[in-house]
Amino acid sequence: MADTRVCDKFNMDNDCIMAAPCTPMLDNGDVNLEGFEAYADNMVTTGINSLFVNGTLGEGMSMTVTERKAALEQWIKLKPDRFKTIIAHVSCSSIRDTTELAKHAAGAGADAIAVMCPTLFKPSSITQLVKYLKAVADQAPDTPFLYYDINVLTGVIFDTGEVMRQCKAEIASFSGIKYSCRELGNFEAAQLESENGRYKLAVGAVDEMLLPWLPLGAHVPICHSLMGTIHRATREAYEAGDMKAALASQDSAQKVGIIKRKYGSDIPISKAILRMMGVDMGPVRLPLQDMAPEAYEQLQSELKAVNFLP
């Protein structure tokens, strides 16, 4: 009998360019469900074909459980003819809220759920982390489950390969890792546990530096929705063996990143740039701060100077 696992039904092939979308909001701070469709259409035009929703860039941890359910349902409603795969990030401070969102995501039709390490009461060992992840995954046993490793925000740095090995052994629905860390060696350790791609590895935190990850097998970037065109060009050039073109595309991404870093927090800047691209995302939530008008104009000017904006 074939060894069939939940991970085998998880569709995240090497053609995926996955965005972690921002969440449209109204001026009063409410989630703007009517703003999702125009944003979805914009992402499609830039080569985005899959989504990781309610994540860091989506301000998921600043949203209520009810809002996150509504946002996920809206993204899933917009999936046909636009997106291959939708992963729902369901982490909350309370494991009860996390499991509630996991159950909801499974019922709503998410292709997978993702959970990161708790950020306040943190596990002291990999065994403790895996026990926590299993408690969530078991509430949606038929839905592919990903560990969301983002140590730059959680402050918890474990051997990701060992996390993956223990997750495979303990969590029946375990299907891979969203790796949003900067340690290439840790990613390679996880790659060695992937069973030749049976367990999926997607890499985040690559908006300025996708190219160095590609030789390690990180073919599925999870990126800002702004960067789909550049990342697709980088990957296609690399896969075609055209390193000159791949480096030129990587240079374009780096120029954008250098400009963005000058203006502060990532999410307000991303929403501002989307507005420049014709997609009004509304404000960010406190404690984040929206860009000042004069900074907005300067940012726009600098992005035009490097040909990122027309």
Side-chain angles (χ1 to χ4, degrees):
M1 181 180 293
D3 177 18
T4 302
R5 307 175 204 171
V6 173
C7 64
D8 296 325
K9 70 178 184 179
F10 180 40
N11 177 28
M12 193 175 72
D13 60 34
N14 285 349
D15 184 56
C16 279
I17 298 288
M18 185 172 290
C22 299
T23 300
M25 294 188 181
L26 298 170
D27 288 342
N28 67 358
D30 290 346
V31 175
N32 180 15
L33 294 176
E34 293 184 0
F36 281 52
E37 185 169 8
Y39 185 24
D41 290 339
N42 171 268
M43 286 190 279
V44 171
T45 66
T46 67
I48 298 296
N49 60 16
S50 297
L51 300 178
F52 183 92
V53 305
N54 292 340
T56 305
L57 289 170
E59 299 177 81
M61 298 296 283
S62 294
M63 294 163 62
T64 67
V65 168
T66 300
E67 288 173 329
R68 288 171 70 171
K69 288 179 179 179
L72 174 61
E73 289 168 6
Q74 190 72 354
W75 287 124
I76 291 173
K77 179 181 176 181
L78 295 168
K79 180 184 176 184
D81 301 321
R82 291 184 178 91
F83 305 116
K84 290 182 174 184
T85 301
I86 293 181
I87 302 172
H89 171 238
V90 300
S91 304
C92 300
S93 294
S94 164
I95 191 171
R96 296 294 180 90
D97 289 342
T98 303
T99 55
E100 181 179 343
L101 284 176
K103 292 176 186 176
H104 171 265
D111 296 288
I113 57 177
V115 175
M116 66 181 183
C117 176
T119 57
L120 183 59
F121 299 115
K122 302 176 184 182
S124 59
S125 66
I126 293 176
T127 299
Q128 190 179 359
L129 170 64
V130 173
K131 183 177 181 180
Y132 169 82
L133 298 175
K134 176 176 168 55
V136 179
D138 284 351
Q139 300 302 309
D142 298 321
T143 301
F145 179 89
L146 304 180
Y147 171 47
Y148 178 14
D149 192 356
I150 183 166
N151 61 32
V152 68
L153 291 184
T154 65
V156 175
I157 303 176
F158 290 137
D159 178 336
T160 308
E162 180 60 19
V163 173
M164 196 162 187
R165 189 188 69 78
Q166 290 193 29
C167 283
K168 289 193 299 179
E170 299 295 332
I171 302 173
S173 60
F174 180 71
S175 299
I177 290 177
K178 180 191 182 232
Y179 188 79
S180 295
C181 311
R182 291 168 172 77
E183 298 84 10
L184 273 71
N186 233 356
F187 178 85
E188 177 64 7
Q191 189 74 274
L192 292 172
E193 290 288 343
S194 71
E195 299 184 16
N196 294 317
R198 188 175 199 181
Y199 292 91
K200 308 301 183 186
L201 288 168
V203 60
V206 296
D207 283 293
E208 300 152 30
M209 290 297 289
L210 173 62
L211 187 56
W213 294 86
L214 293 175
L216 297 177
H219 289 273
V220 178
I222 301 182
C223 59
H224 287 62
S225 59
L226 315 165
M227 304 297 288
T229 300
I230 290 177
H231 283 335
R232 185 168 291 280
T234 303
R235 190 176 67 187
E236 288 178 354
Y238 171 81
E239 291 174 347
D242 188 347
M243 286 303 295
K244 183 177 180 180
L247 284 166
S249 183
Q250 180 65 74
D251 286 348
S252 296
Q254 187 63 234
K255 289 175 183 177
V256 173
I258 289 170
I259 292 169
K260 286 174 62 182
R261 284 197 298 273
K262 291 167 57 178
Y263 290 89
S265 182
D266 202 9
I267 300 169
I269 295 167
S270 295
K271 284 195 166 185
I273 296 173
L274 284 165
R275 180 181 166 196
M276 295 171 194
M277 298 170 71
V279 184
D280 188 358
M281 300 299 295
V284 294
R285 281 192 173 170
L286 292 170
L288 299 177
Q289 294 287 330
D290 292 307
M291 291 192 73
E294 58 274 15
Y296 178 94
E297 293 177 4
Q298 182 63 30
L299 172 62
Q300 187 173 34
S301 176
E302 292 193 43
L303 291 173
K304 287 181 177 180
V306 297
N307 299 314
F308 184 73
L309 294 175

